[in-house]
Amino acid sequence: MGTHDCAIHDGRTVKFQVNRDVFSEAVSFAVKLLPQRTTLPILSGILIQANADGLVLSSFDYEVSSQTEIQADVEEPGAVLVSGRLLAEIAGRLPNAPVRVTTEDARISVSCGSSNFTLLSMPVEEYPSIPEISGETGVVPAEEFATAVAQVAVAASRDDVTPVITGVQLEVRENHLGLVATDRYRVAVCEIDWDGGAVAGDETLTALVPARTLQEVGKTFGHSGTISISITSRDDRELIAFSADRKTVTSLLIKGNFPPVRRLFPETVDNYAVMSTADLIEATRRVALVLEREAALRYTFTAEGLTLEAIGSEQAQASESIDAILTGDDTVVSLKPQFLLDGLGAVHSEFVRISFTKTENPNKPGPVLITSQSSRDQAGSDTYRYLLQPNLLLR
């Protein structure tokens, strides 16, 4: 979606009328990814370009951009720049009537029914030009993409000290798109279909996208049928663009090498337990109530089932047992409840398989692998895998 070239000339007005719901939704989309605080006040603005075809609404803060096209009845074309969050709040509360916007000098008038607002405009000529995107690298099913992002992004780090792990790595191989995230304590991986210029044999195309941006893209475009993805390099800046429904989001990619975490996943595991996902979630939430912050729960898997114990605090203890089918040896692991719940919430199957990996030290358990299980004895598809590092056992 290109940028339309139109500027406000001195003394010239912009006039248009637009459906309230369409306008409100477009403004809200355009400002959603803007940071709460910007270093330059002008970057908190939303650019509205009115032309014969309707309106183009854009926002850009050098890291991310959002752009959407909507229909409007334009009397006088031109461009106007106004505070994005304020306009979004106003548009969301306007009465149910057509919205009329006119500009005069440095003022913008927004009227709807008997409501009238006057806002100060910002200098359009000082606003940076929105990134142009050419071509498309591939297409993904929107719903699958949104689901995969939600499953994987939860494992991305929230600590800006190491920017490379605050992103989700997208990996295109032949006709598959892999999503990978880690915060050093867990790794989440998901695979979905990718339809595009096939990447040659063993070649991999990668893009490291900030997790927060990707989560917004997943939520915004989740019901769009398909999402077109374009990865481009311009002037030493690598960009990714997501487009659907006359909307586009672009993001700068995170620079740096993503850690090679896929190799941590075992090829096969002989020692595992299967149980009801809902039972394990409920029991974990209950027993964790007595834990102090950051403490781990102890999970003991035997032929009789699974026992959960919270034994960290003098004030309170708790334990609970649930049914589980164990294959292989009895195993004890200590896991942080929230990290386990994040993985269980992303499995999306009635049963879950928890596999126990080995380390060279027989007394130190390896990471546990969480995958879906379609029935008590039938493994699910391994499109989603979640590897969680256990805490050292509390002695």
Side-chain angles (χ1 to χ4, degrees):
M1 190 158 28
T3 312
H4 298 261
D5 183 31
C6 47
I8 292 188
H9 305 295
D10 289 344
R12 175 159 162 207
T13 56
V14 174
K15 275 188 193 170
F16 60 83
Q17 189 166 297
V18 61
N19 174 287
R20 187 207 64 164
D21 292 347
V22 171
F23 186 62
S24 172
E25 196 264 339
V27 175
S28 143
F29 162 75
V31 301
K32 204 177 280 179
L33 281 166
L34 284 179
Q36 295 295 336
R37 291 183 193 80
T38 51
T39 42
L40 293 167
I42 200 161
L43 297 181
S44 65
I46 179 170
L47 180 67
I48 302 175
Q49 294 161 299
N51 58 59
D53 301 325
L55 307 180
V56 180
L57 292 85
S58 318
S59 65
F60 182 41
D61 74 345
Y62 293 110
E63 299 287 320
V64 291
S65 83
S66 304
Q67 192 167 79
T68 179
E69 295 178 25
I70 58 171
Q71 288 183 320
D73 182 5
V74 176
E75 283 176 51
E76 296 190 32
V80 62
L81 184 65
V82 62
S83 163
R85 293 207 187 282
L86 181 56
L87 186 62
E89 284 178 17
I90 290 170
R93 294 193 182 274
L94 289 173
N96 193 6
V99 180
R100 187 168 175 75
V101 176
T102 57
T103 65
E104 186 108 19
D105 299 329
R107 305 237 164 239
I108 299 161
S109 151
V110 179
S111 57
C112 178
S114 58
S115 296
N116 292 288
F117 292 86
T118 305
L119 310 176
L120 207 56
S121 67
M122 302 176 179
V124 173
E125 61 280 0
E126 290 176 24
Y127 197 69
S129 56
I130 312 284
E132 294 257 356
I133 298 302
S134 53
E136 147 188 306
T137 313
V139 176
V140 290
E143 210 165 310
E144 282 181 41
F145 182 74
T147 301
V149 168
Q151 287 175 307
V152 170
V154 72
S157 173
R158 287 160 186 75
D159 182 358
D160 292 334
V161 176
T162 318
V164 72
I165 55 173
T166 62
V168 174
Q169 170 103 325
L170 304 186
E171 301 173 341
V172 182
R173 284 190 191 83
E174 294 184 65
N175 54 357
H176 285 284
L177 170 66
L179 296 88
V180 192
T182 184
D183 60 4
R184 291 202 185 91
Y185 304 103
R186 62 237 174 111
V187 183
V189 173
C190 194
E191 313 287 334
I192 64 168
D193 291 335
W194 168 270
D195 177 11
V199 181
D202 51 2
E203 197 188 340
T204 303
L205 177 68
T206 62
L208 186 52
V209 187
R212 189 179 91 83
T213 306
L214 203 59
Q215 284 169 305
E216 278 301 344
V217 167
K219 286 181 208 155
T220 304
F221 293 154
H223 302 293
S224 302
T226 58
I227 301 171
S228 165
I229 298 179
S230 169
I231 302 168
T232 51
S233 286
R234 287 186 56 214
D235 320 323
D236 191 37
R237 286 158 73 87
E238 284 194 279
L239 279 178
I240 188 164
F242 302 90
S243 302
D245 297 341
R246 299 178 76 187
K247 292 184 172 82
T248 298
V249 169
T250 72
S251 172
L252 270 187
L253 299 185
I254 298 172
K255 285 190 154 116
N257 293 322
F258 194 73
V261 288
R262 276 184 183 269
R263 65 182 186 200
L264 300 174
F265 286 88
E267 287 293 317
T268 55
V269 187
D270 304 324
N271 191 189
Y272 58 87
V274 171
M275 66 231 77
S276 152
T277 311
D279 287 357
L280 182 53
I281 288 173
E282 290 302 319
T284 297
R285 283 187 178 143
R286 271 193 293 270
V287 178
L289 289 172
V290 301
L291 280 185
E292 308 210 330
R293 211 169 150 257
E294 296 298 313
L297 279 183
R298 180 185 284 184
Y299 293 80
T300 304
F301 296 87
T302 66
E304 276 74 59
L306 163 63
T307 302
L308 297 76
E309 296 168 283
I311 44 181
S313 138
E314 289 177 9
Q315 275 77 35
Q317 291 86 35
S319 67
E320 184 167 339
S321 296
I322 63 169
D323 288 341
I325 303 160
L326 179 68
T327 301
D329 305 333
D330 290 4
T331 301
V332 181
V333 288
S334 284
L335 302 170
K336 286 197 175 171
Q338 191 51 55
F339 283 9
L340 177 64
L341 290 169
D342 287 342
L344 296 175
V347 166
H348 301 171
S349 58
E350 187 184 348
F351 295 93
V352 62
R353 175 184 293 215
I354 296 187
S355 306
F356 310 106
T357 66
K358 299 277 187 280
T359 60
E360 282 151 22
N361 177 350
N363 299 319
K364 188 184 171 196
V368 299
L369 174 62
I370 296 172
T371 50
S372 70
Q373 181 86 7
S374 43
S375 67
R376 284 180 191 280
D377 38 34
Q378 177 67 49
S381 68
D382 279 341
T383 53
Y384 177 70
R385 295 173 297 152
Y386 182 88
L387 195 65
L388 175 57
Q389 184 65 45
N391 285 29
L392 293 172
L393 284 180
L394 304 163
R395 292 277 175 258

